[in-house]
Amino acid sequence: MAERGTIASLPGAAGLREHLRIVEAVIFASAVPVDTSALATHLPAGTDLTRLIGELQSAYAGRGVNLVAVAGGWAFRTAEDLAPQLRREQSEPRKLSRAALETLAIIAYHQPATRAEIEEIRGVATAKGTLDVLLESGWVRMRGRRKSPGRPITYGTTAAFLDHFGLERIGDLPGLEELKGAGLLDTLPQAALAAPRDEPDLFDDEEPLGALGEEEAAPADEDVS
Amino acid sequence: MAERGTIASLPGAAGLREHLRIVEAVIFASAVPVDTSALATHLPAGTDLTRLIGELQSAYAGRGVNLVAVAGGWAFRTAEDLAPQLRREQSEPRKLSRAALETLAIIAYHQPATRAEIEEIRGVATAKGTLDVLLESGWVRMRGRRKSPGRPITYGTTAAFLDHFGLERIGDLPGLEELKGAGLLDTLPQAALAAPRDEPDLFDDEEPLGALGEEEAAPADEDVS
Amino acid sequence: MTATGDPDGAADGLLAGWEAPVRDGLAAREGDGAEALIVDVDGFEGPLDLLLALARTQKVDLARISILALVEQYLAFIGEARRLRLELAADYLVMAAWLTYLKSRLLLPPPPPEDGPSGEELADALAFRLRRLEAMRGAAARLAGLARLGRDVFPRGAPEPLATTTRPLWQASLYDLVAAYASQRQRHAVTTIRVSRRAVWSLVDARAILERLVGKVAAWTELDVLMASYLADPSERTTVRASTFTASLELAKEGLVDIAQTAAFAPIFVRARAAAEPADG
């Protein structure tokens, strides 16, 4: 490595070790993923965070706690394979109904998606309560409104969704490439290839929610399709 | 990391290593310190918990996170010595008080100015906090001491002052005539205003701050060129 | 309705614990074979779900499914349900009507092109929707199979909120600064106006001067004329007059001068009194 000499001549191994300790402590302290810009505020400008995180990640590889990239940041999580040993201590999280899980999957893979689009895919009206449960879980959010007749609300997933399912970004959804390749993420056959997008900014065909009307005052009865 | 080697090379082989991972994960995931009896429920009967905890504790010694005994149990805590680095700095915009603003203005226009001179112009005593705030803001600095009885400290503005107020040099401050022209002054004061000067070098009637007197005990130790 | 021999597939589809059995359920359905399906419609989530279940009985890839055969199966299912007088939701009937139309399109010679999509195009669209629904089912199952936070992996149980120190960021504009300076120079100007001492003639001064002047004049002389040289300054005129008049009264009382005035507001005359002469003023 060309940089080696440079690094060795920096404050030195002690400095590097100190930076490693800080990164470790900051991520460890937090229950939610910490992104690199937040980490950078604790370190001198110009610190090579990628290298520090790489070091830390390999230090924790194979341990009972791992450093993982999730929801656009870094977090310590118990090792997946220890689930059986840990589960007894923790109460099971609430199970999602089949309809809710299916709706969540459709929103995740097709976002931004309107209620009408979800119903078109499932071939059935969305039961009252299905979207509520997802909104309440914090995994789904109202993004804005589609610029189309009726200005229906568009739904998308949140950072909490990525965190919960251990995904670094929405592009890491399982089987995404396969589905995309088969054209199954399109709203209609022959439509342009689509990919799910969960960027916070609204897209060209979306507009802000605007003042909450009576329609969506409670997330339950928001069907504006 | 050295610690990884330690764990990997433990004599107890795979079983011991697995037990260490479980202890690590259980303590990490717990919201409260975990006592040994709670740990024991996750491990085969007869496991030497004292040894496991000892191993884990030394693996984390000197790291950013330590395994500590608290409240009758075991918990991970960020290393105490990192507290300053973990502290998040947040800057909060705040307006200067009227007194501080007036004092700052007098220092700007009449620098180098002593506290007595400022008070003479303002006609009121300057509260101790007022000058402290200005020194803390980085806009005002102690220049030196006036060569006069009592050797009072002289105050002047800094480069940060010019920067913040968008002035290229101190002479760009609007003069009395200009203030009158702008409608800020009804009449011109009798005494003409000497041009303010903020050169870093001391003037003929100033001398270095020297040893800390009781007056400037707190914020004084900044450079006086 | 339940595909027979499929205990956990469609029957519990609505809300109950679906996550774990989903893949098994799909597999079981596929393995179900062509046994008679009709028992009950409750297990299906709408007509598309029913169609998908029926399609699986064809034991072929959904891409190569016979839509015509599927339509026949669906219509047979609906017919059987009606024969058994089962309650059917309206959308199942709507789907049945549409499939009947599709069937006629597929069987009859193609209509003129302007008469809407052909039977094949409609069949393709239906096949696409079935494939897509199945794909999303699979995606949901894979999502559910991911290691989930709070079930399979756990975050730090006792997060340590990082301490925050607030550093004030002082704000002031050049206008604030300049206005503060101006306003307080203004105040300063007001408070230091020096009221110049008003010149006041004391009674003692006035008497001394009057004595001196009258002593030389025996004839009646107008007081203002007598004092003319002192009344030149307008700012002192009032005080000179008042003090001189008072002094003249004092002198008259002591018999040193005579005073005469012909009418109110008329000029006042004075003269030194001769020792023997009685006053006549």
Side-chain angles (χ1 to χ4, degrees), chain B residues 157-173:
Chain B
T157 55
T158 62
F161 168 85
L162 296 178
D163 198 33
H164 182 91
F165 289 96
L167 300 168
E168 196 174 323
R169 62 185 79 81
I170 199 68
D172 289 348
L173 273 177

Side-chain angles (χ1 to χ4, degrees), chain A residues 70-94:
Chain A
V70 71
W74 298 94
F76 281 109
R77 297 283 183 255
T78 56
E80 270 185 42
D81 65 302
L82 294 179
Q85 282 90 335
L86 297 179
R87 211 172 278 172
R88 79 183 76 165
E89 184 131 297
Q90 310 282 340
S91 56
E92 278 268 305
R94 182 184 44 195

Side-chain angles (χ1 to χ4, degrees), chain A residues 28-29 77-78 80 83 86-87 90 95-98 101-102 105 120-122 164-165 183-184 186-187, chain C residues 13 15 18-19 45 128-129 132-133 135-137 143-144 147-149 151-156 159-160:
Chain A
F28 218 92
R77 297 283 183 255
T78 56
E80 270 185 42
L86 297 179
R87 211 172 278 172
Q90 310 282 340
K95 277 192 169 183
L96 278 186
S97 71
R98 170 182 171 163
L101 189 62
E102 209 169 282
E120 206 251 340
I121 293 173
R122 296 192 64 224
H164 184 85
F165 289 94
L184 289 170
D186 305 338
T187 322
Chain C
L15 291 177
W18 187 73
E19 300 178 20
E45 292 223 12
F128 171 78
R129 289 190 69 193
R132 190 176 57 182
L133 178 59
M136 291 325 295
R137 292 261 161 92
L143 211 50
R148 287 166 59 177
L149 193 66
R151 190 190 67 176
D152 306 302
V153 299
F154 299 93
R156 176 87 185 272
E160 298 171 54

Side-chain angles (χ1 to χ4, degrees), chain A residues 30-180:
Chain A
S30 173
V32 296
V34 186
D35 64 20
T36 40
S37 66
L39 283 174
T41 63
H42 296 277
L43 293 163
T47 306
D48 185 354
L49 267 170
T50 316
R51 184 184 164 188
L52 289 177
I53 286 169
E55 294 264 4
L56 212 53
Q57 210 165 15
S58 58
Y60 277 92
R63 301 276 296 263
V65 172
N66 304 144
L67 180 59
V68 296
V70 71
W74 298 94
F76 281 109
R77 297 283 183 255
T78 56
E80 270 185 42
D81 65 302
L82 294 179
Q85 282 90 335
L86 297 179
R87 211 172 278 172
R88 79 183 76 165
E89 184 131 297
Q90 310 282 340
S91 56
E92 278 268 305
R94 182 184 44 195
K95 277 192 169 183
L96 278 186
S97 71
R98 170 182 171 163
L101 189 62
E102 209 169 282
T103 304
L104 176 62
I106 292 169
I107 292 173
Y109 285 79
H110 290 265
Q111 63 185 306
T114 65
R115 184 171 176 144
E117 287 159 5
I118 296 164
E119 294 183 346
E120 206 251 340
I121 293 173
R122 296 192 64 224
V124 69
T126 306
K128 193 170 162 62
T130 304
L131 270 167
D132 291 28
V133 165
L134 295 176
L135 287 164
E136 194 200 313
S137 70
W139 298 336
V140 163
R141 67 186 184 91
M142 298 187 196
R143 294 178 49 86
R145 292 181 181 279
R146 177 69 43 81
K147 285 181 190 161
S148 67
R151 300 177 61 246
I153 288 175
T154 52
Y155 295 91
T157 54
T158 61
F161 166 82
L162 296 176
D163 194 13
H164 184 85
F165 289 94
L167 302 168
E168 189 180 356
R169 61 183 75 84
I170 201 68
D172 292 345
L173 280 171
L176 186 60
E177 286 308 313
E178 198 187 316
L179 292 174
K180 212 157 56 164

Side-chain angles (χ1 to χ4, degrees), chain C residues 157-215:
Chain C
E160 298 171 54
L162 300 184
T164 310
T165 41
T166 4
R167 193 165 40 85
L169 193 64
W170 296 108
Q171 284 183 327
S173 69
L174 184 59
Y175 171 78
D176 294 337
L177 182 77
V178 161
Y181 184 69
S183 83
Q184 70 108 38
R185 285 308 296 252
Q186 191 84 16
R187 259 184 297 146
H188 178 76
V190 170
T191 51
T192 59
I193 274 181
R194 245 165 238 149
V195 181
S196 53
R197 242 184 83 155
R198 223 167 112 212
V200 177
W201 275 42
S202 69
L203 205 52
V204 181
D205 292 345
R207 181 178 167 137
I209 291 169
L210 195 59
E211 266 184 295
R212 183 161 49 82
L213 292 175
V214 173

Side-chain angles (χ1 to χ4, degrees), chain B:
Chain B
M1 286 243 139
E3 291 82 355
R4 205 161 132 238
T6 317
I7 288 175
S9 63
L10 282 174
L16 187 58
R17 193 182 133 82
E18 202 55 21
H19 292 168
L20 265 181
R21 294 181 74 226
I22 293 169
V23 170
E24 187 178 28
V26 168
I27 298 176
F28 170 84
S30 172
V32 292
V34 191
D35 61 22
T36 40
S37 64
L39 282 173
T41 65
H42 295 269
L43 294 162
T47 308
D48 185 353
L49 267 169
T50 316
R51 185 185 164 188
L52 286 178
I53 286 172
E55 294 275 357
L56 209 54
Q57 208 163 17
S58 59
Y60 277 94
R63 300 281 295 262
V65 172
N66 305 141
L67 180 59
V68 294
V70 278
W74 298 94
F76 284 112
R77 292 282 184 265
T78 51
E80 273 181 35
D81 65 304
L82 292 180
Q85 283 89 336
L86 298 190
R87 201 171 292 277
R88 241 184 317 218
E89 277 234 331
Q90 214 173 40
S91 49
E92 182 189 62
R94 243 194 274 170
K95 284 215 149 238
L96 276 187
S97 71
R98 183 190 167 101
L101 200 57
E102 281 182 12
T103 306
L104 175 64
I106 291 167
I107 293 173
Y109 275 94
H110 296 267
Q111 63 187 303
T114 65
R115 185 173 174 140
E117 287 160 4
I118 296 164
E119 292 181 347
E120 203 218 305
I121 295 174
R122 287 193 68 214
V124 290
T126 306
K128 170 139 179 44
T130 306
L131 271 167
D132 288 352
V133 163
L134 293 176
L135 289 166
E136 185 206 304
S137 72
W139 294 337
V140 162
R141 67 188 185 90
M142 298 187 194
R143 294 179 49 87
R145 293 183 180 279
R146 176 70 42 80
K147 286 180 189 161
S148 70
R151 300 175 60 247
I153 288 174
T154 53
Y155 295 92
T157 55
T158 62
F161 168 85
L162 296 178
D163 198 33
H164 182 91
F165 289 96
L167 300 168
E168 196 174 323
R169 62 185 79 81
I170 199 68
D172 289 348
L173 273 177
L176 293 176
E177 287 287 350
E178 287 164 304
L179 293 182
K180 186 162 183 266
L184 291 167
L185 271 181
D186 292 339
T187 52
L188 286 177
Q190 304 284 33
L193 183 58
R197 298 166 65 192
D198 64 352
E199 289 91 331
D201 294 337
L202 293 179
F203 299 125
D204 290 346
D205 63 346
E206 287 178 303
E207 60 185 17
L209 279 172
L212 291 184
E214 71 287 353
E215 260 192 335
E216 76 273 35
D221 28 358
E222 69 205 60
D223 57 320
V224 184
S225 41

